[in-house]
Amino acid sequence: MSWRSKERLSRPYWSMRRGLFKSMGYSDYDLDRPLIGIANSWNTVVSGHYNLKQVAQSVCRGIDQAGGTPVEFGVIGGCDGLADGGKSARYMLPSRSLIADSVEMMVEAHHLDGVVLLGSCDKIVPGMLMAAARLDLPSILIVGGPSQGGCRFDGRASDNTSLNEALPMLEAGTIDDETFLELEDNSMPGCGSCSMLGTANSMCCIAEAMGMSLPGSAVIPATHARRFQAAQATGRQIVSMVQKGLTARQIITPKSIENAIRVMAAIGGSTNVALHIPAIAYEACVDMDLDLFDSLSMATPWIARMNPSGPADVSDFHDAGGVPAVMKEILPLLQDDALTVNGKTIAENVATARSTNSEIIRTLEDPWEFQGGLAVLRGNLAPEGSIAKPSAIDPLHRTFTGRAQCFDSEIDATRAIGQGEIKPGTVVVVRYEGPRGGPGMPEMYLAMKFLYGQGLALRTALITDGRFSGSNNGCFVGHISPEAALGGPIALVRDKDTITIDIPNGNLILHVSEKELQARREKWQPPEPRPEIQGYLNVYGRLAGSASKGAIITHRGESLND
């Protein structure tokens, strides 16, 4: 058997390389086995990644057991929760590209034979999957797992985002300081990705649905022993993949992309997956667009409900059967012969899976709703599409008509909401926050949380060319394309214009005549670049493509803004 590092470490020509490894304590025994990279985004900044040092130790043990040699390197990993609000929020989506690039650089520069990807949170997991697809080497993802739910608040177990819902309540006097402090101390009783079905846990579920993680591993809680057992099994499996020549693009295929979209619709995942799945598909050279996302989502019943769409958290979802139980239930809708990292098909992996809690995971015949938890909206306000999450929107609020109140930045919108300037019946329009206009496409997370805390979630709506947190609820539409900075129709909206959001029929309509829009278009001028934007944000703002195509930086010579 041969592997690619073998030739690069052969004597005598490459003895220099062997000497460099031996300087760190590697032996001839180590260097005569496959070199398996461990791309570890562990740090002590981000709760979701706090346990990845221990997870990596278990992965190393598994690699060693199976006859490989682990070589570990670090990868950046940021937290949307810590970054949200202001300039810092603009860095999160661009970090996805840096993560993909850095994994590629380390694996290719050092001629590694395979790679285990360790991540948990919003942009880290998709960035790592993008790298795997680009490299097309044996690759497998193991995540750190969700945290447990916290103290009771607002009728359910709290999570970290509960604090932003509670802040307007504290300011209004509907809760006291003691209650708020208790929430701060106990909303996250331990490390892990946030306990609701936000972008982090949605992407971990996507990795498993796509076949890039071992079955049943996506939502094992961060502190459970099984988390480390799954990591050890992952280490053994990557060596098997190298031995068999099983690479990422044999797994990330049109079939597995379809399965990922179906599972997201079935569990009501984060709107951000509409950015990340196309980006992963691009790296795997798989053609897809929002039409596929729309058609599959609308044809997939929503069967699993958890926070922010229901009272259960993600650890409860794990106890109910997790991703395998969902995939078993919707198996008639899936590409069941899609290959996975363990060399088996989806159908083989979920053969014995079952749901143990019908209050969380229902059946195809008795779903929470017969259409999926995500929706694509189009219309004269979003010709290239926009994304909504009906599973997080009250059914009576999925059609909303109101008067526009426009803001040219997330900061201005959040300040106005916090100061009580938004009245019932308003459609808050936040623009110039797309991939290029932001730049970096920040989340409108705080704005939505403040509306919720002020009791306006069911009486207002918010639309944006930016994006949302997977924890948001209310009436919201994001990813509006083309974005304002490229002259999209959202740039032409004026205060008091009437806007209709019609999620059941997939429409986003600005009630202004085409003649009037054309007159506004002729007068429109792109805004001056924000003076505070420098460094990598400046680079990303010049190179990023449309949100409708994943907001990626292309590397095959094409433009995704055309």
Side-chain angles (χ1 to χ4, degrees), residues 510-547:
L510 174 64
H511 295 280
V512 174
S513 70
E514 184 54 40
K515 181 179 180 181
E516 171 62 18
L517 286 177
Q518 183 57 37
R520 295 181 187 182
R521 190 174 289 113
E522 291 171 359
K523 295 178 182 178
W524 176 80
Q525 295 290 329
E528 293 294 322
R530 291 186 166 102
E532 73 274 16
I533 300 304
Q534 301 175 11
Y536 186 72
L537 282 184
N538 203 349
V539 174
Y540 183 82
R542 287 186 283 108
L543 299 179
S546 170

Side-chain angles (χ1 to χ4, degrees), residues 269-500:
S270 166
T271 53
N272 284 315
V273 304
L275 291 172
H276 300 321
I277 294 179
I280 296 165
Y282 171 82
E283 298 292 354
C285 298
V286 173
D287 291 330
M288 74 156 289
D289 56 27
L290 286 184
D291 289 335
L292 177 66
F293 208 98
D294 188 24
S295 62
L296 293 178
S297 295
M298 290 299 98
T300 305
W302 172 34
I303 67 167
R305 187 177 72 157
M306 64 205 94
N307 181 16
S309 304
D313 57 36
V314 175
S315 62
D316 298 324
F317 175 58
H318 167 70
D319 293 340
V323 175
V326 169
M327 296 187 79
K328 177 64 178 295
E329 189 56 45
I330 67 170
L331 195 60
L333 304 178
L334 297 178
Q335 301 285 349
D336 62 3
D337 60 343
L339 190 63
T340 70
V341 287
N342 66 0
K344 297 180 180 180
T345 65
I346 289 293
E348 291 172 319
N349 284 340
V350 305
T352 60
R354 65 185 182 91
S355 168
T356 60
N357 187 339
S358 61
E359 292 301 308
I360 299 174
I361 304 174
R362 288 188 170 183
T363 65
L364 271 180
E365 295 73 28
D366 183 30
W368 294 104
E369 294 190 17
F370 282 96
Q371 291 185 328
L374 295 173
V376 177
L377 278 59
R378 287 188 170 85
N380 68 340
L381 195 45
E384 293 179 5
S386 58
I387 302 294
K389 184 177 178 180
S391 61
I393 302 173
D394 186 284
L396 298 177
H397 203 44
R398 292 176 191 169
T399 300
F400 186 90
T401 297
R403 297 285 187 175
Q405 190 166 342
C406 300
F407 300 92
D408 288 349
S409 76
E410 175 254 350
I411 295 173
D412 290 343
T414 301
R415 183 183 299 115
I417 295 168
Q419 292 174 352
E421 296 176 13
I422 307 302
K423 305 304 179 186
T426 299
V427 177
V428 179
V429 179
V430 188
R431 58 196 176 192
Y432 298 105
E433 294 290 15
R436 292 204 174 194
M441 202 179 181
E443 291 182 341
M444 303 301 111
Y445 160 76
L446 284 175
M448 291 302 300
K449 290 295 180 182
F450 287 177
L451 288 172
Y452 179 94
Q454 292 177 356
L456 290 171
L458 298 180
R459 297 189 289 168
T460 59
L462 192 151
I463 67 171
T464 181
D465 53 7
R467 57 190 180 88
F468 293 97
S469 165
S471 70
N472 283 135
N473 51 22
C475 185
F476 56 93
V477 181
H479 307 198
I480 291 175
S481 301
E483 62 175 290
L486 295 178
I490 190 172
L492 309 178
V493 181
R494 294 179 179 174
D495 286 347
K496 298 186 179 180
D497 283 348
T498 300
I499 294 172
T500 292

Side-chain angles (χ1 to χ4, degrees), residues 132-164:
R134 186 186 303 173
L135 289 164
D136 193 24
L137 290 170
S139 309
I140 188 170
L141 177 82
I142 179 71
V143 302
S147 64
Q148 302 288 146
C151 59
R152 299 292 295 177
F153 175 74
D154 206 22
R156 58 171 173 80
S158 61
D159 61 80
N160 182 253
T161 69
S162 300
L163 284 154
N164 288 310

Side-chain angles (χ1 to χ4, degrees), residues 12-357:
Y13 194 80
W14 295 118
S15 287
M16 183 195 72
R17 291 179 177 172
R18 297 179 73 89
L20 288 170
F21 274 109
K22 286 182 176 181
S23 74
M24 296 179 281
Y26 290 92
S27 66
D28 286 331
Y29 179 79
D30 295 320
L31 301 180
D32 290 339
R33 306 198 297 178
L35 294 184
I36 308 298
I38 299 177
N40 190 355
S41 54
W42 169 81
N43 59 62
T44 59
V45 178
V46 179
S47 173
H49 290 208
Y50 187 74
N51 68 336
L52 289 181
K53 181 183 286 188
Q54 290 74 30
V55 172
Q57 291 171 352
S58 295
V59 171
C60 287
R61 191 175 302 120
I63 291 171
D64 187 65
Q65 290 167 352
T69 296
V71 288
E72 187 174 353
F73 59 89
V75 180
I76 63 169
C79 172
D80 281 67
L82 289 171
D84 271 331
K87 180 182 176 182
S88 57
R90 306 184 192 285
Y91 284 91
M92 294 313 300
L93 183 59
S95 75
R96 185 187 67 176
S97 297
L98 288 177
I99 290 161
D101 293 347
S102 64
V103 173
E104 175 198 4
M105 293 291 182
M106 287 297 291
V107 172
E108 289 291 64
H110 301 99
H111 224 67
L112 305 182
D113 299 301
V115 61
V116 180
L117 306 161
L118 272 66
S120 297
C121 290
D122 296 28
K123 309 306 173 293
I124 300 88
V125 171
M128 288 181 161
L129 291 174
M130 289 165 65
R134 186 186 303 173
L135 289 164
D136 193 24
L137 290 170
S139 309
I140 188 170
L141 177 82
I142 179 71
V143 302
S147 64
Q148 302 288 146
C151 59
R152 299 292 295 177
F153 175 74
D154 206 22
R156 58 171 173 80
S158 61
D159 61 80
N160 182 253
T161 69
S162 300
L163 284 154
N164 288 310
E165 296 173 350
L167 180 59
M169 301 178 191
L170 177 68
E171 292 172 340
T174 56
I175 63 172
D176 57 23
D177 289 340
E178 184 178 354
T179 301
F180 190 80
L181 182 58
E182 181 185 2
L183 195 59
E184 179 184 315
D185 289 343
N186 298 301
S187 60
M188 283 191 72
C191 70
S193 49
C194 294
S195 61
M196 76 288 185
L197 188 64
T199 307
N201 288 318
S202 294
M203 287 308 305
C204 296
C205 291
I206 275 181
E208 183 175 331
M210 201 175 279
M212 286 297 292
S213 295
L214 289 178
S217 66
V219 291
I220 302 169
T223 56
H224 282 202
R226 283 188 59 199
R227 169 54 57 203
F228 305 103
Q229 293 161 0
Q232 190 178 122
T234 295
R236 292 192 294 269
Q237 189 57 40
I238 188 63
V239 178
S240 175
M241 293 174 72
V242 171
Q243 292 168 341
K244 295 175 181 177
L246 179 57
T247 68
R249 289 192 194 174
Q250 295 173 45
I251 297 164
I252 304 176
T253 65
K255 289 183 177 182
S256 71
I257 293 292
E258 286 193 18
N259 287 343
I261 295 171
R262 291 274 196 188
V263 170
M264 276 302 96
I267 68 175
S270 166
T271 53
N272 284 315
V273 304
L275 291 172
H276 300 321
I277 294 179
I280 296 165
Y282 171 82
E283 298 292 354
C285 298
V286 173
D287 291 330
M288 74 156 289
D289 56 27
L290 286 184
D291 289 335
L292 177 66
F293 208 98
D294 188 24
S295 62
L296 293 178
S297 295
M298 290 299 98
T300 305
W302 172 34
I303 67 167
R305 187 177 72 157
M306 64 205 94
N307 181 16
S309 304
D313 57 36
V314 175
S315 62
D316 298 324
F317 175 58
H318 167 70
D319 293 340
V323 175
V326 169
M327 296 187 79
K328 177 64 178 295
E329 189 56 45
I330 67 170
L331 195 60
L333 304 178
L334 297 178
Q335 301 285 349
D336 62 3
D337 60 343
L339 190 63
T340 70
V341 287
N342 66 0
K344 297 180 180 180
T345 65
I346 289 293
E348 291 172 319
N349 284 340
V350 305
T352 60
R354 65 185 182 91
S355 168
T356 60
N357 187 339

